[in-house]
Amino acid sequence: QVQLVESGGGLVQAGGSLRLSCAASGSIFSINAMRWYRQAPGKQRELVAIISSGGTTNYADSVKGRFTISRDNAKNTLYLQMNSLKPEDTAVYLCNADLRTTTSPNQYRYWGQGTQVTVSS
């Protein structure tokens, strides 16, 4: 069984910062790409940032220069440093990971449950 658990969300004023974490645990053999998504009320889920197993990153245009995705492979943990936050960044932030478990040769995508980020103006 694999779990992804996000943490670090909360309420922050515009211009502030938050750091999200996503810890993967369980019978993990290897983790490939990891991603942060967000979903605001009434809007489609949006890909925010992606990081490969080797550290290559890519960002949505809306967060470039403000957000930084990183990972600690030794801890199976994904991070999202969010600076210069804006009210339009308000959403539930979810992580996912493409990973293999110790019990299957196949790779599957696992999701966390999400953490709320609210930015007040």
Side-chain angles (χ1 to χ4, degrees), residues 106-117:
N106 301 318
Q107 180 173 275
Y108 296 100
R109 185 163 297 173
Y110 293 81
W111 287 84
Q113 83 289 347
T115 185
Q116 177 70 45
V117 171

Side-chain angles (χ1 to χ4, degrees), residues 12-83:
V12 64
Q13 288 190 329
S17 298
L18 283 174
R19 188 191 194 208
L20 305 184
S21 298
C22 169
S25 63
S27 305
I28 297 170
F29 179 76
S30 62
I31 303 179
N32 199 347
M34 303 183 81
R35 304 168 188 85
W36 285 103
Y37 280 79
R38 66 185 180 186
Q39 187 156 22
K43 294 189 176 181
Q44 285 192 327
R45 188 169 292 185
E46 174 190 21
L47 177 61
V48 174
I50 180 172
I51 184 167
S52 71
S53 58
T56 301
T57 60
N58 212 339
Y59 298 90
D61 287 343
S62 57
V63 306
K64 275 181 185 176
R66 301 187 298 123
F67 290 11
T68 302
I69 189 171
S70 62
R71 62 193 286 172
D72 184 333
N73 291 330
K75 295 181 179 179
N76 289 336
T77 301
L78 176 70
Y79 303 100
L80 186 68
Q81 177 66 44
M82 306 186 295
N83 299 328

